[in-house]
Amino acid sequence: TSRGVLYNFLHNQRTAAAIRFEAFRDALIVGCVLAFMFDTIADERWHEILGWFQLLAFLVFAADYSLRMCSAGANPRYEGRDGLATYASSFLNVVDALAIFPYLVGVVAFPGIGPGAFLLFKIFHFEKYSRAFTTFDDVLRENMGVLTVTGFSAVLLWILFSSILYYTERDNRDEEMALYYKTIPDAMWITLLNLSGECPLAHYSNIGKVIVGIIGLFATAVFGVPIGILGAGFEELVTSEYEDSPDEDANVDPVQGTSGFHSFQAACYRFANGIGSKAATMFEASIYLLIAATVTIGVLQTVPGYEDTLSTVEYFAVVVFTVEYAIRFAGAGADPEFAGGSNGLAARVRYVFSFYSIIDLMAIVPFYAAMYMPNSWIDQHDEYFRMARLFRLLKLDKYVPSISLVDDVIRLKKNVLVVASYAAVTLWILFTAAMYVVERSDDEMEVDPMPLYGCVEDCSMSDRYNNYFNSIPYTGIHLTGDFPLVEYCGLGRI
């Protein structure tokens, strides 16, 4: 039937046309996110253009939602009213409803509040690729009993300590402290931050200091239990679903792996890596000592009066680093990491574009460029290029494997990190939009002057959240659990 064809087109995406439509819809979602962001800094002309784009996207989303609702009955699971209700209450359809209907109401009744913000809910549609929020839902269901008990305990602690601090701080001599604790609802905002481990205010009364100390020592641990359960459950479910496993190593013996190559290449490889002779070991050790020395000199040269200190050592070090790079380049054909059964030229090309090769070149090339092109742009910014030698410290990872261990952890948990990163970025985008909408008109709370934002007196939170891009760093900081800003309106606090 035609309904069945439409259902398959919108849900199964097996035909080329369906796949293209899905890609078009995803592109519109990204476009709506960007349109909302740039609309907050656009002039009147671009504001109108972006508004029309959002309206066009809304019409496509509304048509897509309507057609999916009409065709849902083609699936036996969604036949009848009960089936349609089940279909409409699925996660992605609820997201569509949250994006479409509030946008329509906003355009008609409240055009000034930025109805395009509601279209940002469509970003949850990328959930189909990661299932991050579906996993959170599974975690909530599996741990509902423990979360209910610990959540109830957390709320009790919140109310209890808010009430205690209200009585101890409402008459505080510091007017700012008294302002935040003038009522129990006001006290609950700062107390919530205290229970999460933050202490943005410090001028408490003596009794208040004792209470906040108790919060920091004991209550914070209890209050954080629900968050710990959610985090651990999320990682466990995602790990079990994707079955993360570490990458397999080639386990190639460097000496054995080079036996088929020209002896000169093999000798260069062994010498540069401190293999096979005392001279090679000493040469490698001297390289690391020179790295430490040049980094120390570079740090010292940032101190006024020491700009040219030990420059001779620097010249000598660059020459040695150049020789080392040439040896490594010559021996790349015998290096198992780059050879891989290919010819020497391909191995050397791979070496040149490898991470450590680029680090070496950043430390060497600017030196020669500045020497042979005096007064050039490179020469004028030579100190910036010279500080690139700091990255050479990463080469010490061979003896203290810290960076490589981080890399192993990332590889082992890459699927968990991808899913969690999608969830984090989605929440960052949505909460930034929410904070911008509620704080852009907040002129009540006075804040410190902000010259970088064009405000030197009578500043308020509206100056901090005057557009989406200025709101991004503040929201990102809050999402890490840090609250250097607390002067929010009621909706901003929620």
Side-chain angles (χ1 to χ4, degrees):
T1 65
S2 58
R3 176 189 269 191
V5 172
L6 182 60
Y7 180 86
N8 288 328
F9 178 83
L10 294 173
H11 294 81
N12 294 330
Q13 283 98 31
R14 294 180 179 176
T15 65
I19 294 174
R20 284 195 292 269
F21 176 74
E22 181 75 3
F24 171 69
R25 187 170 57 187
D26 291 346
L28 272 183
I29 293 172
V30 175
C32 285
V33 174
L34 296 176
F36 179 81
M37 292 180 179
F38 285 99
D39 190 29
T40 63
I41 59 174
D43 56 26
E44 186 174 347
R45 175 174 171 269
W46 276 103
H47 173 72
E48 184 177 355
I49 293 174
L50 294 172
W52 280 109
F53 173 81
Q54 291 173 324
L55 179 60
L56 172 64
F58 160 75
L59 293 175
V60 174
F61 297 150
D64 173 57
Y65 179 77
S66 301
L67 291 174
R68 281 190 284 112
M69 288 296 165
C70 292
S71 64
N75 188 328
R77 293 174 54 195
Y78 305 127
E79 288 181 344
R81 291 185 177 179
D82 293 340
L84 183 61
T86 300
Y87 178 74
S89 61
S90 65
F91 178 76
L92 293 181
N93 287 321
V94 170
V95 167
D96 283 342
L98 289 174
I100 293 170
F101 295 113
Y103 176 86
L104 182 60
V105 173
V107 168
V108 175
F110 309 103
I113 67 170
F118 295 110
L119 294 180
L120 297 186
F121 280 110
K122 290 288 290 185
I123 198 173
F124 281 113
H125 252 273
F126 295 112
E127 166 76 2
K128 62 193 173 188
Y129 301 117
S130 69
R131 298 189 71 251
F133 295 97
T134 306
T135 303
F136 272 121
D137 177 69
D138 295 339
V139 173
L140 287 172
R141 293 175 186 273
E142 289 188 7
N143 299 278
M144 185 57 67
V146 178
L147 289 172
T148 299
V149 174
T150 56
F152 180 71
S153 301
V155 171
L156 286 182
L157 289 173
W158 186 18
I159 296 174
L160 173 64
F161 283 108
S162 297
S163 302
I164 294 175
L165 287 172
Y166 159 70
Y167 285 108
T168 63
E169 304 305 318
R170 60 179 176 174
D171 296 321
N172 193 301
R173 294 180 180 180
D174 188 304
E175 294 182 359
E176 182 182 9
M177 294 293 296
L179 178 65
Y180 283 110
Y181 290 96
K182 63 182 179 181
T183 67
I184 290 180
D186 285 315
M188 292 180 75
W189 163 237
I190 299 298
T191 306
L192 176 63
L193 300 184
N194 294 152
L195 286 167
S196 68
E198 277 291 299
C199 197
L201 305 179
H203 299 151
Y204 289 96
S205 63
N206 290 331
I207 298 177
K209 291 177 181 179
V210 173
I211 300 302
V212 172
I214 293 173
I215 290 175
L217 290 174
F218 304 106
T220 302
V222 178
F223 197 79
V225 169
I227 303 300
I229 292 173
L230 286 175
F234 177 82
E235 181 180 358
E236 181 180 353
L237 279 180
V238 175
T239 302
S240 62
E241 179 175 349
Y242 288 97
E243 296 182 351
D244 279 323
S245 59
D247 294 341
E248 295 183 359
D249 295 327
N251 294 324
V252 179
D253 188 318
V255 178
Q256 294 178 0
T258 60
S259 59
F261 290 92
H262 192 275
S263 59
F264 175 73
Q265 294 183 120
C268 289
Y269 169 77
R270 292 190 181 93
F271 185 79
N273 288 276
I275 301 172
S277 68
K278 181 177 287 188
T281 303
M282 293 178 62
F283 177 75
E284 186 185 37
S286 67
I287 291 296
Y288 291 120
L289 288 175
L290 277 177
I291 290 174
T294 53
V295 168
T296 303
I297 293 171
V299 172
L300 180 63
Q301 288 177 343
T302 63
V303 178
Y306 294 87
E307 290 84 354
D308 297 319
T309 300
L310 299 175
S311 296
T312 305
V313 177
E314 279 195 293
Y315 299 150
F316 173 76
V318 171
V319 172
V320 175
F321 292 155
T322 304
V323 173
E324 180 217 6
Y325 186 86
I327 295 173
R328 289 188 180 277
F329 179 80
D335 190 335
E337 184 178 353
F338 306 111
S342 60
N343 59 50
L345 178 61
R348 291 182 177 87
V349 170
R350 280 196 289 270
Y351 169 72
V352 169
F353 290 99
S354 66
F355 177 71
Y356 287 118
S357 171
I358 293 174
I359 288 177
D360 288 340
L361 291 175
M362 289 174 62
I364 296 171
V365 174
F367 174 84
Y368 292 108
M371 179 182 296
Y372 290 103
M373 293 185 292
N375 301 319
S376 64
W377 182 86
I378 294 178
D379 187 27
Q380 294 172 3
H381 297 81
D382 180 52
E383 70 258 26
Y384 298 106
F385 291 105
R386 283 189 292 174
M387 292 310 295
R389 68 187 62 158
L390 290 173
F391 290 106
R392 301 206 82 199
L393 290 172
L394 296 176
K395 301 189 75 171
L396 297 175
D397 187 70
K398 176 178 178 180
Y399 297 102
V400 186
S402 54
I403 303 300
S404 59
L405 288 177
V406 172
D407 176 71
D408 291 342
V409 172
I410 292 174
R411 291 174 185 272
L412 179 63
K413 296 295 183 181
K414 60 184 176 183
N415 291 322
V416 177
L417 291 172
V418 168
V419 175
S421 297
Y422 160 72
V425 172
T426 298
L427 293 176
W428 193 0
I429 291 173
L430 292 176
F431 280 117
T432 299
M435 293 302 296
Y436 162 71
V437 170
V438 300
E439 291 295 329
R440 62 178 177 172
S441 301
D442 182 9
D443 298 320
E444 296 182 6
M445 300 297 289
E446 184 176 343
V447 299
D448 295 332
M450 299 175 295
L452 292 178
Y453 290 80
C455 181
V456 293
E457 59 181 354
D458 298 328
C459 302
S460 64
M461 292 300 281
S462 62
D463 295 300
R464 285 190 172 121
Y465 289 88
N466 58 356
N467 63 61
Y468 187 94
F469 294 98
N470 285 342
S471 306
I472 289 175
Y474 295 122
T475 309
I477 291 171
H478 292 332
L479 286 171
T480 65
D482 197 8
F483 282 83
L485 310 178
V486 295
E487 305 94 347
Y488 290 107
C489 64
L491 286 176
R493 295 178 179 184
I494 294 173

